[in-house]
mmCIF file of all heavy atoms in Angstrom:
data_model
loop_
_atom_site.group_PDB
_atom_site.id
_atom_site.type_symbol
_atom_site.label_atom_id
_atom_site.label_comp_id
_atom_site.label_asym_id
_atom_site.label_seq_id
_atom_site.Cartn_x
_atom_site.Cartn_y
_atom_site.Cartn_z
ATOM 1 N N TYR A 204 -2.049 1.332 -16.497
ATOM 2 C CA TYR A 204 -0.909 0.531 -16.042
ATOM 3 C C TYR A 204 -1.231 -0.067 -14.647
ATOM 4 O O TYR A 204 -0.718 -1.149 -14.315
ATOM 5 C CB TYR A 204 0.314 1.377 -16.010
ATOM 6 C CG TYR A 204 0.601 2.064 -17.312
ATOM 7 C CD1 TYR A 204 0.295 3.420 -17.514
ATOM 8 C CD2 TYR A 204 1.177 1.354 -18.359
ATOM 9 C CE1 TYR A 204 0.567 4.073 -18.681
ATOM 10 C CE2 TYR A 204 1.444 2.015 -19.563
ATOM 11 C CZ TYR A 204 1.148 3.347 -19.733
ATOM 12 O OH TYR A 204 1.395 3.959 -20.893
ATOM 13 N N ILE A 205 -2.075 0.627 -13.868
ATOM 14 C CA ILE A 205 -2.353 0.148 -12.529
ATOM 15 C C ILE A 205 -3.366 -0.971 -12.575
ATOM 16 O O ILE A 205 -3.287 -1.959 -11.813
ATOM 17 C CB ILE A 205 -2.927 1.318 -11.684
ATOM 18 C CG1 ILE A 205 -1.821 2.321 -11.420
ATOM 19 C CG2 ILE A 205 -3.568 0.841 -10.420
ATOM 20 C CD1 ILE A 205 -2.350 3.629 -10.807
ATOM 21 N N LEU A 206 -4.392 -0.879 -13.461
ATOM 22 C CA LEU A 206 -5.459 -1.869 -13.521
ATOM 23 C C LEU A 206 -5.212 -2.871 -14.580
ATOM 24 O O LEU A 206 -4.623 -2.585 -15.629
ATOM 25 C CB LEU A 206 -6.755 -1.133 -13.828
ATOM 26 C CG LEU A 206 -7.241 -0.145 -12.745
ATOM 27 C CD1 LEU A 206 -8.494 0.651 -13.250
ATOM 28 C CD2 LEU A 206 -7.559 -0.834 -11.462
ATOM 29 N N PRO A 207 -5.593 -4.132 -14.363
ATOM 30 C CA PRO A 207 -6.159 -4.592 -13.046
ATOM 31 C C PRO A 207 -5.064 -4.775 -12.000
ATOM 32 O O PRO A 207 -3.893 -4.983 -12.336
ATOM 33 C CB PRO A 207 -6.749 -5.959 -13.454
ATOM 34 C CG PRO A 207 -5.889 -6.438 -14.547
ATOM 35 C CD PRO A 207 -5.498 -5.199 -15.309
ATOM 36 N N PHE A 208 -5.439 -4.806 -10.740
ATOM 37 C CA PHE A 208 -4.493 -5.102 -9.684
ATOM 38 C C PHE A 208 -4.018 -6.567 -9.839
ATOM 39 O O PHE A 208 -4.832 -7.416 -10.254
ATOM 40 C CB PHE A 208 -5.159 -4.968 -8.282
ATOM 41 C CG PHE A 208 -5.331 -3.517 -7.794
ATOM 42 C CD1 PHE A 208 -4.994 -2.468 -8.569
ATOM 43 C CD2 PHE A 208 -5.845 -3.324 -6.537
ATOM 44 C CE1 PHE A 208 -5.142 -1.155 -8.115
ATOM 45 C CE2 PHE A 208 -6.037 -2.048 -6.055
ATOM 46 C CZ PHE A 208 -5.719 -0.935 -6.839
ATOM 47 N N PRO A 209 -2.822 -6.827 -9.458
ATOM 48 C CA PRO A 209 -2.324 -8.228 -9.433
ATOM 49 C C PRO A 209 -3.165 -9.069 -8.490
ATOM 50 O O PRO A 209 -3.622 -8.583 -7.434
ATOM 51 C CB PRO A 209 -0.893 -8.144 -8.910
ATOM 52 C CG PRO A 209 -0.489 -6.735 -9.186
ATOM 53 C CD PRO A 209 -1.740 -5.902 -9.053
ATOM 54 N N GLN A 210 -3.476 -10.255 -8.878
ATOM 55 C CA GLN A 210 -4.367 -11.144 -8.076
ATOM 56 C C GLN A 210 -3.605 -11.666 -6.852
ATOM 57 O O GLN A 210 -2.411 -11.922 -6.892
ATOM 58 C CB GLN A 210 -4.809 -12.334 -8.903
ATOM 59 C CG GLN A 210 -5.745 -11.985 -10.038
ATOM 60 C CD GLN A 210 -7.075 -11.487 -9.487
ATOM 61 O OE1 GLN A 210 -7.775 -12.139 -8.744
ATOM 62 N NE2 GLN A 210 -7.487 -10.250 -9.935
ATOM 63 N N GLN A 211 -4.379 -11.766 -5.755
ATOM 64 C CA GLN A 211 -3.795 -12.342 -4.495
ATOM 65 C C GLN A 211 -4.816 -13.339 -3.993
ATOM 66 O O GLN A 211 -6.015 -13.082 -3.935
ATOM 67 C CB GLN A 211 -3.602 -11.253 -3.441
ATOM 68 C CG GLN A 211 -2.740 -10.122 -3.813
ATOM 69 C CD GLN A 211 -2.525 -9.150 -2.666
ATOM 70 O OE1 GLN A 211 -2.045 -9.514 -1.613
ATOM 71 N NE2 GLN A 211 -2.894 -7.901 -2.895
ATOM 72 N N ASN A 212 -4.334 -14.491 -3.507
ATOM 73 C CA ASN A 212 -5.188 -15.474 -2.877
ATOM 74 C C ASN A 212 -5.655 -14.954 -1.519
ATOM 75 O O ASN A 212 -6.837 -15.087 -1.170
ATOM 76 C CB ASN A 212 -4.476 -16.825 -2.720
ATOM 77 C CG ASN A 212 -4.220 -17.446 -4.050
ATOM 78 O OD1 ASN A 212 -4.980 -17.313 -4.995
ATOM 79 N ND2 ASN A 212 -3.117 -18.176 -4.189
ATOM 80 N N GLU A 213 -4.743 -14.380 -0.773
ATOM 81 C CA GLU A 213 -5.095 -13.698 0.472
ATOM 82 C C GLU A 213 -4.429 -12.357 0.419
ATOM 83 O O GLU A 213 -3.391 -12.143 -0.154
ATOM 84 C CB GLU A 213 -4.497 -14.504 1.678
ATOM 85 C CG GLU A 213 -5.108 -15.842 1.840
ATOM 86 C CD GLU A 213 -4.610 -16.577 3.086
ATOM 87 O OE1 GLU A 213 -3.831 -15.920 3.819
ATOM 88 O OE2 GLU A 213 -4.886 -17.761 3.282
ATOM 89 N N ILE A 214 -5.114 -11.323 1.010
ATOM 90 C CA ILE A 214 -4.614 -9.962 0.933
ATOM 91 C C ILE A 214 -3.277 -9.882 1.692
ATOM 92 O O ILE A 214 -3.234 -10.050 2.911
ATOM 93 C CB ILE A 214 -5.622 -8.975 1.506
ATOM 94 C CG1 ILE A 214 -6.970 -9.121 0.812
ATOM 95 C CG2 ILE A 214 -5.087 -7.556 1.392
ATOM 96 C CD1 ILE A 214 -6.929 -8.922 -0.688
ATOM 97 N N ALA A 215 -2.209 -9.586 0.962
ATOM 98 C CA ALA A 215 -0.870 -9.527 1.530
ATOM 99 C C ALA A 215 -0.330 -8.090 1.402
ATOM 100 O O ALA A 215 0.128 -7.522 2.395
ATOM 101 C CB ALA A 215 0.010 -10.528 0.883
ATOM 102 N N TRP A 216 -0.331 -7.571 0.202
ATOM 103 C CA TRP A 216 0.123 -6.147 0.058
ATOM 104 C C TRP A 216 -1.124 -5.307 -0.229
ATOM 105 O O TRP A 216 -2.126 -5.771 -0.707
ATOM 106 C CB TRP A 216 1.139 -6.051 -1.078
ATOM 107 C CG TRP A 216 0.629 -6.475 -2.440
ATOM 108 C CD1 TRP A 216 -0.058 -5.742 -3.309
ATOM 109 C CD2 TRP A 216 0.849 -7.759 -3.075
ATOM 110 N NE1 TRP A 216 -0.343 -6.481 -4.472
ATOM 111 C CE2 TRP A 216 0.218 -7.709 -4.339
ATOM 112 C CE3 TRP A 216 1.527 -8.937 -2.703
ATOM 113 C CZ2 TRP A 216 0.281 -8.756 -5.253
ATOM 114 C CZ3 TRP A 216 1.543 -10.032 -3.578
ATOM 115 C CH2 TRP A 216 0.895 -9.926 -4.831
ATOM 116 N N HIS A 217 -0.937 -3.984 -0.013
ATOM 117 C CA HIS A 217 -2.082 -3.105 -0.103
ATOM 118 C C HIS A 217 -2.064 -2.289 -1.392
ATOM 119 O O HIS A 217 -1.093 -2.256 -2.134
ATOM 120 C CB HIS A 217 -2.099 -2.144 1.100
ATOM 121 C CG HIS A 217 -2.209 -2.891 2.406
ATOM 122 N ND1 HIS A 217 -3.385 -3.408 2.852
ATOM 123 C CD2 HIS A 217 -1.271 -3.157 3.390
ATOM 124 C CE1 HIS A 217 -3.208 -3.958 4.031
ATOM 125 N NE2 HIS A 217 -1.943 -3.848 4.385
ATOM 126 N N HIS A 218 -3.205 -1.682 -1.706
ATOM 127 C CA HIS A 218 -3.387 -0.946 -2.937
ATOM 128 C C HIS A 218 -2.378 0.153 -3.138
ATOM 129 O O HIS A 218 -1.883 0.361 -4.241
ATOM 130 C CB HIS A 218 -4.811 -0.347 -2.986
ATOM 131 C CG HIS A 218 -5.062 0.624 -1.866
ATOM 132 N ND1 HIS A 218 -5.192 0.275 -0.554
ATOM 133 C CD2 HIS A 218 -5.187 2.036 -1.918
ATOM 134 C CE1 HIS A 218 -5.398 1.327 0.178
ATOM 135 N NE2 HIS A 218 -5.372 2.391 -0.587
ATOM 136 N N ASP A 219 -2.009 0.853 -2.065
ATOM 137 C CA ASP A 219 -1.077 2.000 -2.220
ATOM 138 C C ASP A 219 0.302 1.538 -2.616
ATOM 139 O O ASP A 219 1.023 2.238 -3.358
ATOM 140 C CB ASP A 219 -1.046 2.842 -0.961
ATOM 141 C CG ASP A 219 -0.837 1.980 0.311
ATOM 142 O OD1 ASP A 219 -0.534 0.827 0.263
ATOM 143 O OD2 ASP A 219 -1.020 2.597 1.401
ATOM 144 N N TRP A 220 0.745 0.378 -2.158
ATOM 145 C CA TRP A 220 2.086 -0.143 -2.488
ATOM 146 C C TRP A 220 2.114 -0.401 -3.968
ATOM 147 O O TRP A 220 3.071 -0.036 -4.663
ATOM 148 C CB TRP A 220 2.301 -1.429 -1.688
ATOM 149 C CG TRP A 220 3.756 -1.865 -1.623
ATOM 150 C CD1 TRP A 220 4.845 -1.270 -2.236
ATOM 151 C CD2 TRP A 220 4.291 -2.941 -0.828
ATOM 152 N NE1 TRP A 220 5.955 -1.928 -1.899
ATOM 153 C CE2 TRP A 220 5.667 -2.948 -1.031
ATOM 154 C CE3 TRP A 220 3.712 -3.855 0.044
ATOM 155 C CZ2 TRP A 220 6.503 -3.883 -0.396
ATOM 156 C CZ3 TRP A 220 4.534 -4.764 0.629
ATOM 157 C CH2 TRP A 220 5.936 -4.815 0.387
ATOM 158 N N TRP A 221 1.057 -1.060 -4.523
ATOM 159 C CA TRP A 221 1.066 -1.387 -5.971
ATOM 160 C C TRP A 221 1.053 -0.066 -6.764
ATOM 161 O O TRP A 221 1.789 0.086 -7.756
ATOM 162 C CB TRP A 221 -0.158 -2.219 -6.307
ATOM 163 C CG TRP A 221 -0.323 -2.425 -7.779
ATOM 164 C CD1 TRP A 221 -1.339 -1.971 -8.579
ATOM 165 C CD2 TRP A 221 0.545 -3.160 -8.655
ATOM 166 N NE1 TRP A 221 -1.127 -2.324 -9.855
ATOM 167 C CE2 TRP A 221 0.022 -3.092 -9.945
ATOM 168 C CE3 TRP A 221 1.724 -3.868 -8.454
ATOM 169 C CZ2 TRP A 221 0.617 -3.702 -11.063
ATOM 170 C CZ3 TRP A 221 2.343 -4.487 -9.533
ATOM 171 C CH2 TRP A 221 1.794 -4.397 -10.833
ATOM 172 N N VAL A 222 0.208 0.870 -6.412
ATOM 173 C CA VAL A 222 0.126 2.161 -7.184
ATOM 174 C C VAL A 222 1.399 2.915 -7.153
ATOM 175 O O VAL A 222 1.847 3.441 -8.181
ATOM 176 C CB VAL A 222 -1.025 3.016 -6.595
ATOM 177 C CG1 VAL A 222 -1.005 4.437 -7.170
ATOM 178 C CG2 VAL A 222 -2.411 2.376 -6.841
ATOM 179 N N ALA A 223 2.067 2.934 -6.006
ATOM 180 C CA ALA A 223 3.396 3.591 -5.870
ATOM 181 C C ALA A 223 4.434 2.948 -6.770
ATOM 182 O O ALA A 223 5.189 3.639 -7.390
ATOM 183 C CB ALA A 223 3.849 3.630 -4.431
ATOM 184 N N LEU A 224 4.402 1.633 -6.816
ATOM 185 C CA LEU A 224 5.404 0.886 -7.661
ATOM 186 C C LEU A 224 5.144 1.207 -9.115
ATOM 187 O O LEU A 224 6.111 1.468 -9.901
ATOM 188 C CB LEU A 224 5.239 -0.608 -7.418
ATOM 189 C CG LEU A 224 5.940 -1.142 -6.153
ATOM 190 C CD1 LEU A 224 5.473 -2.572 -5.849
ATOM 191 C CD2 LEU A 224 7.476 -1.105 -6.282
#
Side-chain angles (χ1 to χ4, degrees):
Y204 306 101
I205 291 170
L206 297 173
F208 283 3
Q210 292 294 303
Q211 303 184 59
N212 293 327
E213 296 182 7
I214 304 303
W216 61 82
H217 299 285
H218 61 288
D219 49 11
W220 199 354
W221 174 249
V222 170
L224 281 168

